[in-house]
Each structure stands twice: as structure tokens, then as C-alpha cells.
Amino acid sequence: MIDQAAKLRSMVKHKTYDEHKATAIAVASGKGGVGKSNFALNFSLALRQKGKKVLLIDLDSGMGNIDILIGSTAVHSLVDLYENQLTIYDIIELGPKSLHYIAGGNAQDKIFHLDQQRLDYFFYQMEIVFPVYDFIILDLGAGVTKESIQYVLAADECILVTTPEPTALTDAYAMIKHILLQQKQAIHLVMNKVNNQKQGRECMDRMIGVVKQFLHHHVNPLAIIPEDPIIPKSVLAQTPFYSSSPKALSSKAIDTAVTTFIGEVDQNHKKANFLSKLRRFMLERD
């Protein structure tokens, strides 16, 4: 852990705030059980495979399981940052493909109720890492909550994961509606656990069409991921499927998603100031 913290400090030393800032990506879902965290993890690994510096933060309050999916036991979580005054270097863990991640621990709810001193410390520490990474991925809790919506609104991009299941589609639409009622936001749709490409494409097109018709907003189709038998096996083995089965259909779908996403982000050079927006939301919480 000491060596890892030293390496992170070295990375920061050679960056300046003016020359680089990470793209903040909120990964959300309308309901649980759609494979959101698994997608966030494997998407992060695929970004690493392309040479991107990635920090994955587990903000799934009470249900954080990124370290479980990786097959590792995190020493610290985000809660330790502000409750025990640890530094951001102390709580970052090292995962597969040198992926950096921060484990959960009921972090999402508590952050929005910090006193001013702890809130200032939280943002001071977060400001340190934004110049270091290319992408900071926020794995949010499932469903529409005040906290998850505010993370989405503060982020540069939002990836929404759903499945062809009718309840999942309904809840995904509700999530999109809640977001767009507050601001226009870049939303990328992932259709997960599809039986075949035809079903996935039909569900994707239907969702995009409904949002366009009733909410007057274009949702970007990002990925159609098959119901691949290697995925539950990888979960049981606590090994990300992108690492263990790189040639599987699901892994190839993740690769396609990353290539598409990087291309879309490169075309949109304008970024939101994630930390400034999130701070404003927190100060307005009362």
C-alpha cells in the first residue's frame, strides 16, 4: 500500500490542472439486477486495455460489490477518506490490468450529509486525482434516488444500463425522464443480457424512439451485450469476464462499446466541471 501510494503521488507530481482533466462517467440503472456494476468493471478494464488511465469508484450505497467481482478484499473504502482522514492515495486499490478502484462502503448517502469541514476535505482529495486519470467512472446505486441523479447531472457523461425485461425498460425510461426534467444530459444506452442481436436491437430502437417522441432527446446507443454463459461463471470465479475470456461475445461487445464511446467523447471536447457541480448540489441539499 505504501509503494502504491508513492506511485500515485509520483503520477500527480508530473501533472498540472491546466493540462489535463478526467472525464467523469456516471454508470446508472433504473433498477437492480441488470448487470450495472459488472458492466462498469469490465468497461473500465477495456478502457485500460486501450491504454487509458482509469479510476473506478464504487458508489453503490450498501450494495457495493466491485471488490467482490474482482476477487479482492479492499483495505479501505471511500468512507475512510472523510471519516478517518485518510488521503485519496491510501484508499485507492489496484485491480486487474492495473485498474485503480475505490471500494464502496455506504459512501453515496453519507457524502451528501457531510459537515462543511469534511466536505472541504473530500473535495480537496478528489481534486488531486482528476488531473491524473483519463476517465473516472462512478458506479452508482440502482434506481432513481436524489443522490444518484445528482451524480449523473454533475458528470460529463452518463451510461445507462438496462435489459429487455419490461420492468427494466420501464425503470430505465423513468431514470431518463428524471434526468432530462432537470437538464439536458449526454446519455449512452447499454442493452444488457439480450437473447440475440435482433432482440437487443429492437429493444434499443424502441427505447430511443420513445425518449425521442416523448422527451425530445436523443439517447446514444452504446452497446448490445448478449446473455453470455461466461458472465455468471466469471462472477462465481470472481474474475472479470473481460480478463478471463477476452474472445467471448460479451467481451467483444464491451470492446465495441469502448471504441464507440471514446470516439463520441473525442468529438465532444466540452466538459462539465464535475467537482464544482457536485459541490453545488451538496451545498443545496437542504
Side-chain angles (χ1 to χ4, degrees):
M1 182 59 68
I2 293 174
D3 289 342
Q4 183 174 317
K7 289 179 181 178
L8 286 166
R9 288 190 180 93
S10 177
M11 291 170 66
V12 172
K13 185 177 180 180
H14 293 91
K15 290 285 186 180
T16 67
Y17 289 113
D18 292 332
E19 70 182 33
H20 183 85
K21 182 187 292 185
T23 297
I25 306 169
V27 181
S29 65
K31 67 185 291 292
V34 299
K36 170 187 56 62
S37 293
N38 213 359
F39 171 83
L41 171 58
N42 287 279
F43 187 79
S44 298
L45 291 172
L47 284 170
R48 282 291 304 131
Q49 185 68 27
K50 290 190 176 293
K52 303 298 182 180
K53 295 183 179 68
V54 182
L55 174 63
L56 173 60
I57 304 179
D58 191 343
L59 289 167
D60 193 343
S61 179
M63 296 292 289
N65 58 10
I66 291 297
D67 52 339
I68 296 173
L69 291 172
I70 290 174
S72 175
T73 301
V75 179
H76 299 293
S77 72
L78 192 59
V79 176
D80 292 306
L81 184 72
Y82 48 81
E83 286 197 348
N84 299 319
Q85 292 289 290
L86 296 186
T87 70
I88 194 73
Y89 311 110
D90 296 322
I91 66 171
I92 293 177
E93 307 282 345
L94 191 62
K97 297 185 182 294
S98 298
L99 172 67
H100 291 173
Y101 75 96
I102 297 177
N106 301 317
Q108 187 185 104
D109 293 336
K110 290 185 178 182
I111 291 172
F112 279 82
H113 298 90
L114 297 178
D115 58 40
Q116 190 61 53
Q117 183 177 355
R118 288 183 175 183
L119 193 62
D120 289 342
Y121 183 76
F122 168 77
F123 278 104
Y124 172 75
Q125 292 296 320
M126 291 300 295
E127 284 168 1
I128 292 173
V129 294
F130 260 76
V132 175
Y133 296 96
D134 298 309
F135 296 97
I136 293 182
I137 298 182
L138 313 168
D139 179 25
L140 306 181
V144 179
T145 65
K146 179 181 178 181
E147 290 78 18
S148 63
I149 292 295
Q150 289 182 338
Y151 276 115
V152 169
L153 297 177
D156 300 299
E157 310 282 341
C158 172
I159 297 177
L160 183 64
V161 182
T162 187
T163 71
E165 181 187 1
T167 56
L169 293 172
T170 300
D171 289 341
Y173 177 81
M175 172 69 82
I176 294 172
K177 184 175 180 179
H178 273 82
I179 294 168
L180 296 179
L181 284 175
Q182 298 181 64
Q183 71 176 34
K184 294 296 181 182
Q185 175 77 351
I187 300 174
H188 309 265
L189 188 63
V190 172
M191 194 63 60
N192 197 23
K193 301 183 180 182
V194 304
N195 292 326
N196 51 63
Q197 282 293 309
K198 182 175 183 292
Q199 180 199 43
R201 177 53 57 191
E202 288 176 350
C203 291
M204 180 77 79
D205 291 344
R206 191 181 313 125
M207 176 65 76
I208 291 172
V210 169
V211 172
K212 184 70 173 178
Q213 180 179 356
F214 295 104
L215 302 178
H216 312 291
H217 186 79
H218 177 68
V219 173
N220 302 311
L222 182 61
I224 296 174
I225 303 175
E227 181 78 270
D228 194 330
I230 67 109
I231 296 179
K233 290 179 181 178
S234 72
V235 172
L236 288 173
Q238 294 183 282
T239 303
F241 65 81
Y242 187 82
S243 298
S244 62
S245 305
K247 295 184 179 180
L249 291 176
S250 50
S251 297
K252 290 180 179 179
I254 293 288
D255 268 328
T256 300
V258 164
T259 300
T260 300
F261 184 81
I262 291 175
E264 291 174 350
V265 170
D266 286 344
Q267 292 176 13
N268 180 20
H269 297 292
K270 185 178 179 182
K271 292 183 183 179
N273 192 328
F274 170 72
L275 292 177
S276 295
K277 292 181 73 174
L278 187 62
R279 177 189 282 273
R280 176 164 51 84
F281 289 141
M282 290 183 179
L283 292 176
E284 294 173 352
R285 60 186 180 264
D286 296 329

